[in-house]
Each structure stands twice: as structure tokens, then as C-alpha cells.
């Protein structure tokens, strides 16, 4: 055994200092333990609550950070798809200039191209397909008698020199053009297809019409074929790969062949002579639309404007030494259209995220209230022992920071990784806002709890409710008065806030009405034999924890979710319905087979009518070049529709255009037309409103098949067979007309109502008539065209955003209900424990919990449906669906019961399932805990 000295030496620290708690001289003193860290102690004391707080903050920040990134990606995709659908020609920069009058050469064209490409800024990148440049001369008629002359008009030939043509064509016969002989014909190469169409061959000398300098000739020295005629290289150069059949501007139009030939660089000085002074150098610079961004659209438009007629254009003139450059592009107009589309869709796309954000805010308030209930006694004890309110709040803020900030950082990083987009500002702002709410929710609630108590003030609550009501009325009135204002300027705050304010008003009203209604039901149930219904309804009317009324926050959360879902669901449903209505009116039904320049064989129309899904069909004869001869001098050109009155009236009613009573076309004796004063009965006809204003009670209708004596039997506002007819329209019954005009022939259109598959109908047309493969028939179905209208990425992005935010709002609403149940759990567990000692069975306990919770869900579902219907009635007339539909439609949104009821009942069922799950998981455990601990209340 060692002595005390040895013991003290063993207790020394390695550096010889006395250990803590040792007095000078070796006598041990009383050891005072260091205080435990506040944050670590609190987090270890409630690990489950800490994990739930982290999860809630993570989800909220993730959704907030992902929302702007999803919107950015959708906007970029919509912009690029919109520009791509317009084709490469309007999305290119076109630069032209007259061919140099002296010594034109190919090297000069290349140098100008290099300067033009270098002048494009960082936002205007050249597409991978590359520029196209060269020189061209206008077409001249060819006088060779052996060439093809459709309608007796000579073919025309224009000349091109393309710098990159060799990489896009292959020589199939002859040789490539070289330098022309002095005074000889210009060597040209034609496409093999064009040569076949106009009747040219290798070695033929094409004689052009004489110009100011005398006759001109071009010798065909070679034939080539394009590697890919669909290549964007041939944009606006189609006549170089094949001969084009062009119409003349005369009436009736005549047709002639037009093609172009390639020449060598040595023939550039002959272009001006061939084009009679109309020869130009050109450069087409395609813009890479895949890199354009919606947020940079204004800057990109400025860059294009500068390139076309601004500082960049001036600099290009200096760099190329050509002051006659003419720069044009369709991009400025396309940018305006794309920006207008994006701004028009923005208000409707913002409603869903705003509703989800409102529900999430309510959830944070409920979570803070629940934590405040759990830790209220602890906080008041700290305040009583000398802690300051500011100090306590700072410690609580530190607790929140330790849990919230790492979760927020991880959620933001995950959103950035999952949704890559160059823009981060909106992401950081949205994530910061959600982080701030998560961080401050409980500290602010604690500050309120630690404030000096104030007595109940019904007036204060009434004033707040009146202020909310006034703000809602002002927002609704302003939206109804001016519509979505300013038009096309982006998100309208009032239009977005109005449905949320209506939901808030509904929640406040329901919070005042629900206790009285549920209390009346409780009193009615109390007169019955059982106690479960009475106890559950009484607690639902009173609220948890001894409160005099239920909490307003769960009602507001549920109403926000139902109202947002009902309003948004109605918008999407209306978009689909209106889109289908638009295409049905454009087609004239659900399906159409048309032969614009021919007739439909009877076998085809019978086979189409026998398809499954066809409800009704009819054959129609149409003619656009008919004329009316009436009492006044002169004639009126009209469009004539010949159809069976009964079937055509049904078709008109189905699509809502040109409805009429088929009995109006009954009567009229078929036969040859008779002049005025004869006994032959005229054929009844329906006319458009512009004809009804004229004195045409008796007139002749002159058609290609013959003349008809008609009389006006009614007026129509349109017709399915001619939805966009610009001339007056006449509808006559098929029976009398076909009997009177044997030369009328077979119908040229077939219409049907029902459900159709576009590919199946096209296959039927090809099988019924092999000539259909030549493009004689045109097949259209409403389902295919509606799907094409709905394929716009802008519309799909808005729909995906709505469903995502609706799911988030529903999830947060269910979470709000669960937080309400958890907040009431201690009081409910104590009650159930007491009742358990009196013989309450587990099934009755579950029924009691449902009876207490379901009134909240039902009231919110009913109230949300009513608020959504009110929002549609008040705000619907100001909603313009044109952008989401994909076509111009009338402004206004009507009430649709189905989407509203689906959202309301769906959320009610979801809440009921959540209540059942919560009761089954935690109810029995809470009762057991109460029975073991005894009633301490």
C-alpha cells in the first residue's frame, strides 16, 4: 500500500498539474460537475420529436426548392419545343445582299460568313446543322418544246451556287459543272427527280426566255440526288432537290413546274444576267434553340434586334465591307409569342403552389402549437427560475437551428441534383423562406406562451375576421372588374390570392358554425341510448385540451387543400373538355374522311360506318364555287353543303354548331329547276345569316352539277362541314338534290360521331382504296387532334405542376389533422382510460375516436366544396384557358361538379384513413400507459 503522497502523485495529470477537485496540499475537495449542454440534452430527451421536426423541415424545404426549378425546366422545355415546332426557317438569321457587280467570287462569300458567325453573341449559338450560304438568281422560263408544260405554261429554272452542296448530294449521272465557255451556255446540274419531272436530260441545252442582253442558255452537265431531302440544309431550297408544282395567281389557278440548278463558282458572274438583275448573295445562320432559356428571353430578343438593326448590324457592315446587308429573322415575333404564352399560363400555374404553401404554413403553426403544449410547463418553469424570455427564445432558436439547418441544406442540395437547371436564385429564395418558417415556428410560439397572459378578446378575433373578409371581397371585386390584369403580364397576385382568401374566409366561417352544428348533433345523440356518439360529438364541438371551441387551423388547412384542388381540377377538366369541343368543331364531328379533289367510294364509307364505336355517320357533298342568282343583279359566291337533314341535324347538335330542325328541310319536289312563275316546287334550304339579310326568298343555285331552284327555309349560324367558311353557306337536303342533279356524283366527305382510333381509320382507308396512299384522302379524328393540342410542353408542365402541388397540399392537410389528433391525444387517452375502467371495449374506443374526428373531415370536405364552387362562380369569368387549351377560346370558366366532388370526397376519405391509422397505432398504447401511470390529472 502506498501512502497519501503516492496517491496524490498518481492523481496528477501528465503535465504535473493538480487534477480538478484537489485542494492545495493534497486534500480532495468537492467536485462540481460542469453543466450539460442545453441543445444536446434537449435533443436527446425527445429523439422522436427531433426526428419528426427534421423530416418536416426536410420535406418542406425540398418541395420549396424543387418548385422553382421544376417551373424553370418546364418553361425552358416549352420554349424550345415551341421554337422547334416552327421549323428551322423562322428560327434562323437570314442575311442577303446583292451580288457584287464586278468580280464576284466564292472566297468573298466565305469571309462574309465568318464575320456573320463571329457576330453572334453568347445567347445566339449557331445550330449544329451549320450555316448555309451561296448565291442565287431568280427563275426564268424555259422555252424548249420537249419540256413538260402542265396547263400549257413553261417550266422555270433558277440558278444557285451553294458552298456546301457537295457534302449533301451525290452525283448520279454526268459531271459537276465547271467554268463556262466564253459566250457559251451556263453549265448546271439538276436533281435527278427534277430532271425527270420537267423532261430534261444530261447534255440538253435549256433555252431561257430572252432578257435585256439577249437569249440565255444553260447546259445540263450532270444529275445529282440529295442524300436526305428532309435535311434542314434544304430548308427553303426544296426546288433544288425536286421540281415544285407551283400555281399561278390567276383565277382559276394554273400550274407549272419550277426547279433550280447548281452552278460552279466560275459562273457567279453570269447570275446577274440570268436573274435579270435579281441575283443575291445569301447566308442562312440557324440558331440553336436547344440552348435558349426562358428567363433569358428578353436579353436574347435584344441581342437578335441588335444583330438585325442595331450596333451589331452596323459593326457587321464595317467588318464585311458590305453596307447593303439585309438581315431578317422570324425570331423576334416568335419570342413575343412564346413570352405571351408563358405569361398567360403563369397565373393558373401559380394557384396550386400557393395553395400548397398555405397548407404547409398551417402545418408548421400546428406543429409549433403541439410542441408548445408539450413543453409549456418546462418553459414557464425556466422563466420562473430567473430565465429571461429573450434568453429562452435564443436557446430554442439554437435547438431549431441544429435540426433545421442541416436538413434544409441537404434538401436544397438534393433539389439541385435531381432537377438540374442553370438558375439558382429562385431556388435559394424559396428554400430560404421555407427554412425561415421551419426555424422560427416554435421559437415564436414560445415567445407568445411566455408573454404576459391576456384575457379572451372576442372583439379582437371579430376584427381580424372582418379584415380578412374585406380583403377577400376587395380581391374578388377587382378580379371580376378587370379580369386578369395586366393582360399577359405574368402572375396576377390577386387572381392567385383570391381563391386562398376565399378558403380562409370559409375556414373562419366554418370554425364559428361547426361547434354549434356539432353541439346540436351531440345533444340529439345524448337523448339516445348509447354514450359513444354523444361523447365523441361533444368533444368534437368543444375541442381538445379543455378549449371552448375546436382549433381553426386544421379547418383552414383542409379548406385550402380542397379549394385549391377543386379549382385546379376544374381548370384541367375544363381544358380537356374545351379542347375536345374545339377540335370537334374544327373537324365537324369525332371523325372525318375528306377527298378535297375527288370523291369517296361507297365501299369506303360503308366500311367506315361499320367500325366499332361509331354511333352515327353520314355522307356529305360540298362545293365552294357555287353561285346564287337572286332578285338583285349579280351573283353571290357561296359554299354548298348537301346532306341528309336528320343525320346532319344530329351532327350539328352534337358539336354545337349550326343546329336546326330537320323538319325545316322537309318538302320540296325534286326535279329540274324551274324559272320564276312555274309550278315546280322549290327545294328548301338553310342559309347563313349574311344571306338571310338579302331578299332571296326565291333564287337559283348554280353548281357544277347543274342549277337548283331554292327557297329559304331557315337561318343557321354555322355548319359542321364548313366550320371556317369565309363565304356564305347554303345547306340543302340530299334526297331532292341528288334526284334533281344526277351529275352530283358520289360524296366528298364522311362525318361520324363516336370513339375512333386515328391509325385504325387510316388503315381502313388504305385497305378500302389503294389510291389513298397517294394522299387523295385526308383522315382526321377528334381524339388524335385533341392529343396533339395537349402535347404542348407548356400545358403538360402546368398539369404536372398542379398534380404535384395538389399531392403536397393533400399530404400537408392530412398531416395537419394528425397533428391535431396528437395534440388532443393526452386528454383523449385520459378519457379513454377512465372509460376503460368502466367497461369500454376497444372497438367502442375506436368508434369514439372516429366520432370525434370525422366531423372535422366532413365539415372541411363540404365547406371546401362550397368554397371551391363559390371561387369558380366568382373568379371563373375572368379565367382565360386559351393557352392551356392550345387554341383561342372564349374567356370564362364554368362550374363543374365532378372535379370539385372528387377532390373534396377524396381528401375526406384520406383524412378518415389517417384517423383510423393513428387510432389503431397509438390509441391502445396511450390507454395502457394511462392505466399504468394512474390518473394524475
Amino acid at each position: 500500500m502506498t501512502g497519501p503522497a503516492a496517491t496524490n502523485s498518481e492523481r496528477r495529470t501528465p503535465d504535473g498539474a493538480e487534477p480538478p477537485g484537489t485542494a492545495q496540499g493534497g486534500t480532495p475537495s468537492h467536485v462540481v460537475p460542469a453543466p450539460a449542454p442545453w441543445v444536446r440534452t434537449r435533443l436527446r430527451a425527445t429523439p422522436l420529436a427531433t426526428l419528426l421536426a427534421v423530416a418536416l423541415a426536410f420535406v418542406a424545404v425540398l418541395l420549396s426548392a424543387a418548385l422553382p426549378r421544376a417551373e424553370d425546366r418546364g418553361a425552358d422545355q416549352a420554349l424550345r419545343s415551341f421554337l422547334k415546332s416552327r421549323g428551322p426557317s423562322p428560327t434562323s438569321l437570314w442575311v442577303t445582299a446583292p451580288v457584287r457587280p464586278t468580280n464576284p467570287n466564292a472566297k468573298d462569300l466565305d469571309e462574309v460568313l465568318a464575320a456573320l458567325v463571329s457576330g453572334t453573341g453568347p445567347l445566339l449559338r449557331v445550330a449544329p446543322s451549320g450555316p448555309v450560304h451561296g448565291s442565287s438568281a431568280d427563275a426564268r422560263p424555259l422555252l424548249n418544246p420537249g419540256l413538260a408544260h402542265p396547263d400549257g405554261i413553261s417550266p422555270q429554272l433558277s440558278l444557285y451556287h451553294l458552298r456546301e452542296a457537295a457534302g449533301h448530294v451525290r452525283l448520279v449521272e454526268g459531271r459537276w459543272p465547271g467554268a463556262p465557255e466564253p459566250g457559251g451556255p451556263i453549265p448546271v446540274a439538276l436533281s435527278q427527280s427534277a430532271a425527270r419531272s420537267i423532261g430534261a436530260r444530261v447534255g440538253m441545252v435549256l433555252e431561257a426566255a430572252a432578257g435585256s442582253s439577249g437569249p440565255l442558255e444553260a447546259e445540263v452537265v450532270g444529275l445529282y440526288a440529295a442524300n436526305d431531302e428532309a435535311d434542314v440544309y434544304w430548308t427553303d431550297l426544296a426546288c433544288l432537290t425536286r421540281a415544285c408544282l407551283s400555281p399561278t395567281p390567276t383565277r382559276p389557278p394554273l400550274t407549272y413546274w419550277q426547279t433550280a440548278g447548281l452552278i460552279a463558282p466560275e459562273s457567279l458572274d453570269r447570275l446577274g444576267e440570268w436573274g435579270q438583275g435579281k441575283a443575291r448573295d445569301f447566308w442562312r445562320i440557324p440558331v440553336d434553340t436547344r440552348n435558349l432559356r426562358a428567363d433569358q428571353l428578353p436579353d436574347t430578343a435584344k441581342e437578335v434586334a441588335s444583330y438585325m438593326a442595331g450596333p451589331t448590324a452596323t459593326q457587321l457592315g464595317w467588318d464585311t465591307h458590305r453596307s447593303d446587308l439585309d438581315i431578317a429573322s422570324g425570331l423576334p415575333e416568335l419570342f413575343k409569342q412564346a413570352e405571351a404564352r408563358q405569361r398567360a399560363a403563369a397565373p393558373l400555374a401559380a394557384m396550386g403552389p400557393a395553395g400548397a404553401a398555405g397548407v404547409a404554413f398551417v402545418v408548421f403553426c400546428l406543429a409549433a402549437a403541439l410542441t408548445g403544449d408539450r413543453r409549456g410547463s418546462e418553459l414557464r418553469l425556466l422563466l420562473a427560475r430567473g430565465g429571461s424570455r429573450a434568453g429562452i427564445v435564443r436557446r430554442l432558436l439554437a435547438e431549431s437551428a441544429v435540426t433545421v439547418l442541416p436538413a434544409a441544406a441537404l434538401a436544397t442540395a438534393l433539389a439541385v441534383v435531381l432537377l438540374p437547371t442553370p438558375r439558382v436564385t429562385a431556388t435559394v429564395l424559396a428554400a430560404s423562406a421555407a427554412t425561415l418558417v421551419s426555424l422560427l415556428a416554435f421559437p415564436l410560439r414560445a415567445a407568445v406562451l411566455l408573454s404576459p397572459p391576456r384575457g379572451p378578446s372576442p372583439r379582437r378575433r371579430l376584427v381580424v375576421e372582418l379584415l380578412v373578409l374585406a380583403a377577400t371581397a376587395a380581391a374578388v371585386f377587382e378580379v371580376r372588374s378587370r379580369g386578369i390584369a395586366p393582360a399577359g403580364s405574368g402572375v396576377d397576385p390577386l387572381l392567385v390570392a383570391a381563391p386562398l382568401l376565399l378558403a380562409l374566409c370559409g375556414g373562419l366561417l366554418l370554425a364559428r358554425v361547426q361547434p354549434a352544428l356539432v353541439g346540436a348533433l351531440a345533444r340529439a345523440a345524448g337523448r339516445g341510448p348509447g354514450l359513444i356518439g354523444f361523447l365523441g360529438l361533444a368533444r368534437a364541438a368543444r375541442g381538445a385540451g379543455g378549449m371552448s371551441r375546436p382549433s381553426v387551423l386544421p379547418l383552414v388547412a383542409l379548406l385550402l387543400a380542397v379549394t385549391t384542388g377543386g379549382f385546379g381540377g376544374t381548370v384541367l377538366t375544363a381544358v380537356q373538355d374545351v379542347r375536345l369541343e374545339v377540335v370537334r368543331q374544327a373537324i365537324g364531328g369525332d371523325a372525318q374522311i375528306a377527298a378535297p379533289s375527288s370523291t369517296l367510294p361507297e365501299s369506303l364509307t360503308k366500311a367506315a360506318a361499320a367500325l366499332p364505336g361509331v354511333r352515327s355517320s353520314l355522307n356529305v357533298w360540298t362545293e365552294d364555287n357555287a353561285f346564287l342568282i337572286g332578285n338583285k343583279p349579280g351573283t353571290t359566291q357561296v359554299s354548298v353543303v348537301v346532306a341528309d337533314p336528320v343525320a346532319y341535324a344530329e351532327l350539328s347538335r352534337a358539336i354545337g354548331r349550326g343546329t336546326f330542325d330537320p323538319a325545316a328541310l322537309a318538302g320540296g319536289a325534286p326535279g329540274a329547276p324551274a324559272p320564276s312563275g312555274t309550278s315546280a316546287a322549290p327545294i328548301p334550304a338553310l342559309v347563313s345569316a349574311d344571306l338571310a339579310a338579302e331578299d332571296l326568298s326565291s333564287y337559283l343555285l348554280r353548281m357544277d352539277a347543274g342549277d337548283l331552284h331554292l327557297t329559304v327555309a331557315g337561318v343557321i349560324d354555322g355548319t359542321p362541314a364548313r366550320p371556317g367558311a369565309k363565304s356564305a353557306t347554303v345547306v340543302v337536303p340530299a334526297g331532292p338534290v341528288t334526284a334533281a342533279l344526277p351529275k352530283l356524283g358520289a360524296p366528298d366527305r364522311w362525318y361520324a360521331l363516336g370513339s375512333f382510333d386515328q391509325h385504325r381509320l387510316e388503315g381502313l382507308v388504305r385497305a378500302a382504296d389503294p389510291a389513298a396512299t397517294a394522299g387523295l384522302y385526308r383522315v382526321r379524328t377528334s381524339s388524335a387532334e385533341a392529343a396533339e393540342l395537349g402535347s404542348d410542353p407548356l400545358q403538360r408542365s402546368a398539369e404536372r405542376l398542379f398534380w404535384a402541388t395538389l399531392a403536397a397540399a393533400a399530404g400537408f392537410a392530412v398531416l395537419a389533422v394528425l397533428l391535431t389528433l396528437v395534440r388532443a391525444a393526452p386528454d383523449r387517452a385520459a378519457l379513454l382510460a377512465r372509460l376503460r375502467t368502466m367497461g369500454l371495449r376497444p372497438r367502442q374506443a375506436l368508434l369514439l375516436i372516429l366520432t370525434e374526428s370525422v366531423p372535422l373531415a366532413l365539415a372541411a370536405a363540404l365547406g371546401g366544396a362550397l368554397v371551391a364552387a363559390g371561387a369558380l362562380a366568382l373568379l371563373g369569368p375572368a379565367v382565360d384557358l386559351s393557352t392551356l387549351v392550345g387554341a383561342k377560346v372564349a374567356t370564362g370558366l364554368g362550374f363543374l361538379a365532378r372535379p370539385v366532388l372528387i377532390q373534396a370526397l377524396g381528401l375526406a376519405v384520406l383524412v378518415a384513413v389517417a384517423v383510423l391509422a393513428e387510432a389503431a397505432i397509438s390509441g391502445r398504447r396511450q390507454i395502457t400507459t394511462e392505466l399504468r401511470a394512474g390518473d394524475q390529472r
Side-chain angles (χ1 to χ4, degrees):
M1 296 294 293
T2 59
T7 304
N8 289 338
S9 63
E10 290 177 359
R11 295 178 58 189
R12 292 182 182 273
T13 58
D15 58 357
E18 291 290 336
T22 303
Q24 190 172 5
T27 304
S29 63
H30 178 68
V31 178
V32 179
W38 169 278
V39 174
R40 186 183 65 186
T41 303
R42 288 307 311 164
L43 296 182
R44 286 183 175 180
T46 55
L48 181 59
T50 301
L51 290 177
L52 292 177
V54 170
L56 181 59
F58 177 82
V59 172
V61 176
L62 178 62
L63 294 177
S64 300
L67 175 62
R69 302 187 72 81
E71 289 180 337
D72 288 344
R73 288 165 59 87
D76 291 344
Q77 185 182 6
L79 171 64
R80 294 162 187 170
S81 176
F82 172 74
L83 294 178
K84 182 180 179 181
S85 67
R86 295 308 183 266
S89 181
T91 57
S92 298
L93 299 170
W94 286 90
V95 185
T96 59
V99 172
R100 290 188 183 274
T102 58
N103 192 26
N105 59 84
K107 182 180 179 181
D108 180 63
L109 297 175
D110 298 339
E111 292 175 350
V112 173
L113 175 65
L116 293 175
V117 171
S118 63
T120 57
L123 300 179
L124 290 178
R125 301 179 183 177
V126 180
S129 60
V132 179
H133 70 295
S135 302
S136 67
D138 282 3
R140 301 194 71 168
L142 302 179
L143 305 180
N144 300 59
L147 299 180
H149 291 69
D151 293 338
I153 301 178
S154 302
Q156 295 188 5
L157 175 69
S158 56
L159 299 182
Y160 278 84
H161 168 63
L162 293 180
R163 296 293 293 153
E164 311 89 355
H168 298 271
V169 298
R170 64 185 185 278
L171 188 66
V172 295
E173 185 179 351
R175 61 179 176 84
W176 287 113
E181 296 292 337
I186 303 174
V188 300
L190 299 179
S191 73
Q192 189 178 40
S193 173
R196 188 182 301 114
S197 298
I198 67 174
R201 63 185 182 278
V202 174
M204 176 180 285
V205 177
L206 305 175
E207 301 176 0
S212 58
S213 58
L216 290 176
E217 295 178 340
E219 181 184 359
V220 181
V221 299
L223 300 179
Y224 62 85
N227 297 333
D228 182 9
E229 292 190 18
D231 191 350
V232 295
Y233 177 84
W234 302 109
T235 299
D236 293 334
L237 301 174
C239 294
L240 275 168
T241 61
R242 54 179 173 79
C244 304
L245 195 62
S246 304
T248 64
T250 59
R251 289 293 180 184
L254 305 177
T255 57
Y256 64 93
W257 288 112
Q258 184 175 3
T259 188
L262 294 176
I263 64 172
E266 295 81 4
S267 300
L268 284 174
D269 57 346
R270 304 284 297 274
L271 285 179
E273 183 183 11
W274 183 274
Q276 303 181 70
K278 296 181 179 179
R280 301 186 69 82
D281 297 330
F282 66 91
W283 301 264
R284 180 173 66 84
I285 304 175
V287 175
D288 189 1
T289 59
R290 299 175 304 173
N291 294 318
L292 296 182
R293 288 165 39 183
D295 65 314
Q296 295 178 342
L297 204 55
D299 295 334
T300 308
K302 292 179 182 178
E303 191 170 314
V304 172
S306 176
Y307 195 95
M308 294 174 58
T312 305
T314 304
Q315 185 63 40
L316 289 175
W318 284 99
D319 294 342
T320 59
H321 305 290
R322 303 189 72 159
S323 59
D324 53 358
L325 292 178
D326 182 16
I327 306 176
S329 177
L331 283 173
E333 183 61 30
L334 292 179
F335 286 168
K336 291 180 181 178
Q337 296 177 13
E339 197 168 6
R341 282 161 39 88
Q342 187 65 34
R343 288 177 174 176
L348 299 179
M351 290 184 182
V359 180
F361 180 78
V362 172
V363 167
F364 278 108
C365 293
L366 284 171
L370 174 62
T371 309
D373 291 346
R374 292 290 189 264
R375 298 181 60 181
S377 59
E378 170 198 344
L379 299 178
R380 285 188 288 269
L381 179 60
L382 290 174
L383 187 64
R385 289 186 173 182
S388 66
R389 187 173 63 164
I392 295 174
V393 170
R394 282 196 301 268
R395 288 180 179 273
L396 297 178
L397 188 60
E399 285 185 37
S400 299
V402 170
T403 57
V404 169
L405 294 183
L410 180 60
T412 305
L414 186 61
V416 171
V417 172
L418 295 179
L419 298 172
T421 180
R423 299 178 285 283
V424 296
T425 303
T427 301
V428 172
L429 291 177
S432 299
T435 303
L436 194 62
V437 173
S438 304
L439 193 64
L440 298 180
F442 177 57
L444 291 179
R445 174 64 177 174
V448 173
L449 290 175
L450 297 177
S451 300
R454 293 184 297 179
S457 179
R459 291 184 179 180
R460 186 166 56 245
R461 178 183 177 183
L462 181 60
V463 169
V464 173
E465 292 175 346
L466 291 177
L467 288 176
V468 172
L469 180 61
T472 305
V476 171
F477 176 78
E478 185 67 15
V479 172
R480 287 294 301 268
S481 300
R482 59 162 173 77
I484 302 177
S489 62
V491 177
D492 185 354
L494 282 181
L495 185 63
V496 175
L500 305 184
L501 289 174
L502 286 171
L504 181 58
C505 282
L508 296 177
L509 178 62
L510 194 59
R512 285 190 173 273
V513 173
Q514 182 193 1
L517 294 179
V518 178
L521 291 176
R523 288 190 295 272
R527 291 190 286 269
L531 291 178
I532 300 299
F534 168 75
L535 288 175
L537 292 174
R539 286 178 55 81
R542 176 174 55 85
M547 295 188 297
S548 60
R549 62 174 64 89
S551 175
V552 179
L553 292 179
L555 282 173
V556 172
L558 291 174
L559 259 71
L560 281 173
V562 175
T563 303
T564 303
F567 197 95
T570 302
V571 169
L572 296 185
T573 303
V575 165
Q576 295 176 356
D577 294 345
V578 172
R579 186 182 294 150
L580 183 60
E581 180 182 350
V582 167
V583 298
R584 292 184 77 192
Q585 290 189 356
I587 292 173
D590 291 320
Q592 177 198 120
I593 303 177
S597 58
S598 181
T599 59
L600 298 176
E602 185 178 0
S603 59
L604 174 59
T605 57
K606 286 186 177 180
L611 284 175
V614 178
R615 296 198 306 268
S616 63
S617 64
L618 77 157
N619 299 325
V620 175
W621 293 258
T622 63
E623 184 175 336
D624 291 329
N625 294 319
F627 296 90
L628 284 176
I629 303 174
N631 300 329
K632 297 181 180 180
T635 60
T636 303
Q637 185 175 0
V638 296
S639 296
V640 180
V641 177
V642 182
D644 176 73
V646 176
Y648 198 65
E650 180 184 354
L651 180 67
S652 301
R653 284 194 302 269
I655 69 170
R657 178 184 292 273
T659 57
F660 65 93
D661 184 1
L665 295 182
S676 179
T678 63
S679 59
I683 296 176
L686 303 175
V687 299
S688 53
D690 49 355
L691 287 177
E694 303 182 16
D695 184 14
L696 295 175
S697 57
S698 179
Y699 56 89
L700 284 178
L701 176 64
R702 180 153 294 167
M703 304 169 61
D704 291 340
D707 296 346
L708 291 175
H709 183 208
L710 306 179
T711 184
V712 175
V715 179
I716 55 176
D717 59 355
T719 176
R722 282 292 183 268
K726 297 180 180 179
S727 59
T729 306
V730 176
V731 178
V732 290
V737 174
T738 54
L741 302 177
K743 295 182 180 180
L744 189 63
D748 61 344
R749 294 176 186 270
W750 177 83
Y751 294 93
L753 297 174
S755 57
F756 294 89
D757 179 77
Q758 175 88 9
H759 300 293
R760 184 171 184 177
L761 192 57
E762 289 175 347
L764 175 67
V765 171
R766 288 191 296 268
D769 189 351
T773 58
L776 296 179
Y777 304 145
R778 182 179 59 189
V779 178
R780 302 173 66 187
T781 60
S782 59
S783 58
E785 296 202 6
E788 183 178 356
L789 277 181
S791 63
D792 189 348
L794 184 65
Q795 303 167 15
R796 295 201 305 268
S797 175
E799 292 179 6
R800 287 195 302 266
L801 182 63
F802 165 74
W803 290 117
T805 53
L806 177 60
F812 281 122
V814 173
L815 184 57
V817 174
L818 291 177
L819 288 174
T820 305
L821 293 175
V822 172
R823 190 180 181 187
D827 185 59
R828 184 177 63 243
L831 174 65
L832 294 177
R834 298 188 194 103
L835 295 177
R836 186 73 174 271
T837 60
M838 301 178 188
L840 182 72
R841 294 189 297 274
R843 183 174 299 178
Q844 292 176 318
L846 180 61
L847 182 60
L848 178 62
I849 296 175
L850 287 176
T851 308
E852 177 185 347
S853 305
V854 166
L856 173 66
L858 294 180
L862 179 59
L866 293 177
V867 173
L872 290 169
L874 294 173
L875 305 175
V879 177
D880 187 1
L881 301 177
S882 298
T883 301
L884 296 180
V885 169
K888 184 63 179 177
V889 297
T891 301
L893 177 65
F895 172 71
L896 299 176
R898 182 168 58 89
V900 174
L901 292 178
I902 288 176
Q903 303 297 329
L905 296 179
L907 191 59
V909 171
L910 191 61
V911 169
V913 171
V915 170
L916 281 173
E918 194 275 340
I921 294 174
S922 62
R924 181 173 298 182
R925 184 177 62 227
Q926 292 171 350
I927 295 174
T928 304
T929 302
E930 289 288 335
L931 289 174
R932 287 177 178 175
D935 190 4
Q936 302 296 330
R937 296 167 179 82

